[in-house]
């Protein structure tokens, strides 16, 4: 005869929800996992929301994308249109284009979902770019977060190509022109270009399979990889803990903020619906990609003012402003006008991906960093970032040179030459100006620390001199303005050893010393006020 313990009786009397929770915890260990992570502390700063916008727009993309797949037919089979849009009735078009028209005019809520999906894609890539700018300018990519920077970079690149395959699916005149542009770039690749083009399109352009192949890439391959990267990215954020800006009580060994549950989760949930609602409002008001106004794709036509989405505009700008040079090698023509931009594009992306490792090597700093920099306190890094953004926007102008010419009544040749010159000159000017601004802000911070904040109160001294009274800073502001580290440039060291034998200096060591001097040498950072200087000033000697 079996006996029933008091514990078992208590469990049976517990509410059904609690019994289900106990059952799941006994098999999955949910309680211990939640207990360890749900009270995790996260710091609070407005810029941290940029990463949340990336995540929420990605979720919106998945939700709306699933809905659209229920009605979209990824086929290039030719059909005659007999749908609701009268101007195109009787026109021959692909099933992909016809089903997109049906989604827009015949499926309940279809056009709104299409526009939410497209706007969310634009906001997703924009949010990732701005989020990575925040990470870059504040130094959040430093050890131990270099791998997470690479994950974020891959998400940005994959998001760009997922967007490209997505807007190519409707097979309208605009997207078809973009695909043709991409196919021309692929063909310019020596040796493998023609084979790769035949593989993508299943024959001569446009072939009969590219929509189906792009569809599989768009809804399965790229989103699957991105979902894995998002999960890995979030796991590393949890594991390494979130970065925070310097302040009283904040160190490299703690996190000051609010717990994940319930405070942060409640705020995050509300912010998700805020982002979703805002994207929905934009999609309901602002029309985007009206394919019915463009018509189905035909290889013998090009839509006027054909432009890709903004995040691919700089790659088109590279090709538009590159001179149409060609060379013949062993009886084969190499189109440099397309091939050179095609090589520059990935090289720039790789430079962005490996930057954390380059800076770590230059500084020789192997410590963990959980406190963020203010951009002004890393002037060389900040100047590099602004130079890259300048380069990007210059090429964006080149990618839309025809629209700039028609809208502002300018010569398209003048715009092209402006972009060619600014491609080399613009980033250099931006670098110099940004660096000088950062150094000026550092000098102002040093003045504030030593003399306090300008109060606007004018005082007359007994001997007749008029001076402005400065209000001393509180301890929180003093900490904020002096918490940053200042590196000393790496030195090559003595050229001879203790025995007087000339030491062989590696080229990499010389390069590192030169770069380190460029980052942290004289004129690249303003010395922080010392405690002795502060005491001398505040003791009354020359302080008003």
């Amino acid at each position: 005869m079996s006996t029933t313990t008091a514990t078992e009786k208590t469990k049976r009397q517990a509410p059904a929800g609690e019994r289900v929770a106990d059952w799941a915890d006994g098999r999955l260990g949910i309680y211990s996992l939640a207990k360890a992570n749900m009270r995790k502390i996260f710091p609070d700063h407005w810029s941290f929301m940029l990463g949340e916008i990336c995540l929420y727009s990605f979720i919106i993309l998945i939700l709306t994308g699933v809905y659209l797949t229920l009605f979209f037919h990824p086929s290039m089979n030719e059909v005659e249109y007999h749908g609701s849009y009268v101007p195109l009735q009787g026109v021959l078009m692909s099933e992909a284009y016809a089903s997109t028209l049906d989604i827009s005019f015949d499926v309940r809520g279809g056009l709104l979902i299409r526009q939410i999906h497209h706007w969310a894609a634009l906001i997703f890539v924009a949010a990732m770019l701005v989020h990575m700018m925040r990470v870059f300018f504040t130094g959040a990519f430093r050890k131990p977060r270099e791998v997470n920077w690479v994950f974020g970079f891959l998400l940005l690149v994959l998001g760009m190509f997922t967007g490209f395959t997505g807007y190519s699916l409707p097979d309208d005149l605009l997207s078809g022109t973009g695909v043709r542009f991409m196919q021309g770039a692929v063909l310019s690749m020596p040796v493998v270009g023609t084979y790769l083009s035949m593989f993508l399109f299943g024959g001569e352009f446009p072939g009969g399979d590219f929509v189906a192949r792009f569809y599989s890439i768009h809804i399965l391959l790229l989103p699957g990889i991105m979902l894995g990267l998002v999960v890995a990215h979030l796991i590393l954020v949890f594991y390494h803990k979130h970065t925070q800006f310097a302040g009283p009580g904040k160190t490299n060994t703690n996190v000051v903020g609010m717990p994940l549950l319930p405070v942060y989760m409640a705020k995050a949930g509300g912010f998700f619906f805020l982002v979703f609602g805002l994207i929905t409002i934009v999609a309901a008001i602002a029309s985007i990609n009206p394919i019915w106004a463009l018509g189905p794709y035909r290889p013998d036509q090009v839509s006027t003012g054909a432009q890709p989405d903004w995040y691919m505009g700089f790659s088109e700008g590279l090709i538009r402003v590159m001179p149409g040079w060609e060379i013949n090698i062993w009886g084969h023509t190499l189109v440099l006008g397309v091939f050179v931009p095609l090589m520059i594009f990935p090289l720039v992306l790789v430079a962005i991906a490996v930057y954390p490792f380059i800076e770590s090597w230059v500084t020789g700093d192997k410590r963990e960093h959980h406190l963020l920099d203010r951009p002004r306190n890393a002037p060389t890094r900040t100047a590099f970032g602004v130079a890259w953004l300048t380069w990007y926007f210059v090429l964006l102008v080149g990618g839309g040179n025809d629209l700039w010419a028609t809208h502002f009544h300018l010569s398209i040749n003048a715009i092209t030459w402006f972009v060619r010159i600014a491609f080399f000159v613009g980033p250099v000017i931006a670098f110099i100006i940004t660096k000088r601004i950062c150094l000026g802000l550092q000098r102002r911070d040093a003045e504030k620390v030593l003399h306090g904040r300008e109060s606007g109160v004018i005082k007359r001294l007994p001997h007749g001199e008029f001076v402005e009274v400065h209000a001393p800073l509180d301890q929180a502001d003093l900490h904020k303005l002096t918490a940053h580290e200042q590196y000393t440039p790496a030195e090559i060291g003595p050229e001879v050893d203790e025995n007087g034998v000339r030491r062989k200096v590696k080229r990499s060591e010389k390069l590192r010393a030169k770069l380190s001097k460029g980052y942290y040498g004289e004129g690249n950072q303003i010395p922080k006020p010392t405690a002795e200087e502060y005491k001398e000033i505040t003791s009354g000697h020359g302080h008003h």
Side-chain angles (χ1 to χ4, degrees):
M1 182 177 181
S2 62
T3 58
T4 305
T5 65
T7 304
E8 290 173 340
K9 287 182 179 180
T10 304
K11 285 183 178 180
R12 287 177 183 175
Q13 294 171 0
E18 189 175 328
R19 292 202 302 273
V20 171
D22 287 339
W23 181 91
D25 182 55
R27 288 151 182 81
L28 304 174
I30 294 175
Y31 175 74
S32 57
L33 185 67
K35 187 177 180 181
N37 293 293
M38 288 298 102
R39 299 293 293 174
K40 194 172 183 70
I41 301 299
F42 278 86
D44 195 15
H45 190 270
W46 68 265
S47 65
F48 300 156
M49 292 192 300
L50 297 170
E52 294 181 53
I53 295 174
C54 301
L55 177 62
Y56 301 151
S57 53
F58 183 66
I59 294 171
I60 294 167
L61 281 169
I62 292 175
L63 295 176
T64 53
V66 168
Y67 184 82
L68 293 173
T69 58
L70 302 177
F71 306 100
F72 182 71
H73 300 292
S75 170
M76 293 187 70
N77 293 334
E78 197 171 63
V79 296
E80 186 175 331
Y81 180 69
H82 296 289
S84 301
Y85 189 65
V86 176
L88 288 177
Q89 286 183 357
V91 174
L92 294 176
M93 59 186 64
S94 65
E95 282 191 60
Y97 184 78
S99 65
T100 308
L101 288 176
D102 291 338
I103 291 171
S104 302
F105 296 109
D106 299 310
V107 174
R108 186 178 296 275
L111 180 58
L112 178 62
I113 298 297
R114 262 195 69 222
Q115 301 216 143
I116 291 174
H117 191 73
H118 202 137
W119 277 113
L122 296 178
I123 291 172
F124 174 59
V125 180
M128 282 197 293
L129 180 62
V130 179
H131 175 58
M132 287 192 71
M133 287 166 54
R134 198 276 300 173
V135 172
F136 180 85
F137 288 125
T138 59
F141 54 77
R142 292 172 295 177
K143 184 182 178 181
R145 296 177 180 83
E146 302 98 330
V147 174
N148 226 7
W149 167 267
V150 175
F151 284 170
F153 165 78
L154 291 174
L155 280 168
L156 176 63
V157 174
L158 290 174
M160 291 165 57
F161 284 102
T162 306
F164 174 77
T165 54
Y167 75 63
S168 300
L169 293 180
D171 197 30
D172 61 285
L173 190 55
L174 177 62
S175 68
T177 303
V179 175
R180 180 62 167 164
F181 177 89
M182 183 272 288
Q183 191 249 359
V186 170
L187 285 176
S188 72
M189 298 172 66
V191 183
V192 298
T194 52
Y195 296 99
L196 189 57
S197 175
M198 294 291 283
F199 172 76
L200 282 173
F201 296 97
E204 292 293 335
F205 182 85
D209 300 323
F210 92 83
V211 168
R213 293 179 181 185
F214 277 29
Y215 183 71
S216 300
I217 293 170
H218 181 72
I219 71 166
L220 290 176
L221 180 62
L222 296 181
I225 298 172
M226 291 174 69
L227 188 59
L229 287 171
V230 166
V231 172
H233 189 76
L234 294 176
I235 289 173
L236 286 180
V237 169
F238 263 78
Y239 178 70
H240 292 140
K241 71 188 179 183
H242 205 291
T243 52
Q244 58 187 346
F245 284 97
K250 298 177 181 179
T251 68
N252 266 316
T253 58
N254 70 352
V255 179
V256 178
M258 296 293 183
L260 179 63
L261 196 71
V263 178
Y264 197 81
M265 288 294 287
K267 291 171 68 176
F271 193 44
F272 167 74
F273 288 107
L274 187 63
V275 172
F276 204 157
L278 186 61
I279 291 176
T280 303
I281 291 171
V282 171
I285 294 174
S287 177
I288 189 169
N289 197 22
I291 62 160
W292 53 88
L294 300 165
Y297 177 65
R298 284 179 49 181
D300 61 332
Q301 292 184 355
V302 176
S303 58
T304 304
Q307 303 290 315
D309 281 333
W310 68 269
Y311 49 84
M312 297 299 286
F314 76 104
S315 59
E316 179 158 337
L318 274 169
I319 294 180
R320 284 198 186 192
V321 302
M322 178 72 186
W325 296 339
E326 294 181 356
I327 58 173
N328 291 304
I329 303 176
W330 299 310
H332 297 277
T333 301
L334 182 60
V335 185
L336 295 179
V338 180
F339 179 69
V340 170
L342 204 63
M343 292 297 101
I344 293 175
F345 178 62
L347 286 175
V348 171
L349 294 179
V350 169
I352 296 170
V354 302
Y355 181 84
F357 305 98
I358 295 173
E359 185 172 306
S360 175
W361 176 69
V362 170
T363 60
D365 188 358
K366 305 301 179 185
R367 298 168 299 161
E368 289 193 1
H369 292 272
H370 302 290
L371 291 178
L372 298 171
D373 288 333
R374 298 174 78 202
R376 67 186 63 181
N377 294 326
T380 304
R381 179 205 301 152
T382 303
F384 272 129
V386 174
W388 184 87
L389 290 173
T390 303
W391 182 80
Y392 174 86
F393 285 115
V394 164
L395 288 178
L396 204 58
V397 172
N401 57 0
D402 53 340
L403 293 183
W404 283 88
T406 55
H407 283 64
F408 295 98
H409 308 290
L410 300 170
S411 163
I412 194 168
N413 291 326
I415 295 171
T416 300
W417 274 105
F418 165 78
V419 173
R420 287 175 179 174
I421 296 169
F423 176 84
F424 298 100
V425 177
V428 175
I429 295 174
F431 181 91
I432 295 170
I433 292 175
T434 303
K435 198 168 182 179
R436 291 183 66 86
I437 290 173
C438 288
L439 293 173
L441 291 172
Q442 283 189 40
R443 290 189 185 94
R444 190 184 71 170
D445 288 347
E447 282 290 315
K448 275 187 180 180
V449 170
L450 294 175
H451 300 288
R453 183 180 291 105
E454 296 177 357
S455 65
V457 176
I458 306 298
K459 182 179 179 181
R460 184 179 182 183
L461 300 181
H463 59 274
E465 180 186 0
F466 288 92
V467 296
E468 183 180 16
V469 178
H470 284 208
L473 301 180
D474 57 30
Q475 289 300 314
D477 287 335
L478 285 173
H479 184 94
K480 175 183 174 183
L481 298 181
T482 57
H484 58 283
E485 296 183 57
Q486 292 193 310
Y487 293 94
T488 55
E491 300 289 343
I492 296 178
E495 295 186 3
V496 295
D497 61 17
E498 62 275 7
N499 299 318
V501 179
R502 190 173 185 83
R503 183 172 64 91
K504 186 177 181 181
V505 181
K506 296 180 180 178
R507 288 184 179 178
S508 60
E509 195 176 348
K510 290 181 180 178
L511 177 62
R512 178 172 174 261
K514 199 168 185 178
L515 290 173
S516 182
K517 189 176 180 181
Y519 266 73
Y520 308 112
E522 186 179 353
N524 289 288
Q525 54 186 355
I526 305 301
K528 290 192 297 184
T530 63
E532 290 75 19
E533 287 177 319
Y534 180 75
K535 287 178 182 177
E536 183 181 353
I537 290 289
T538 55
S539 64
H541 301 291
H543 180 69
H544 298 300

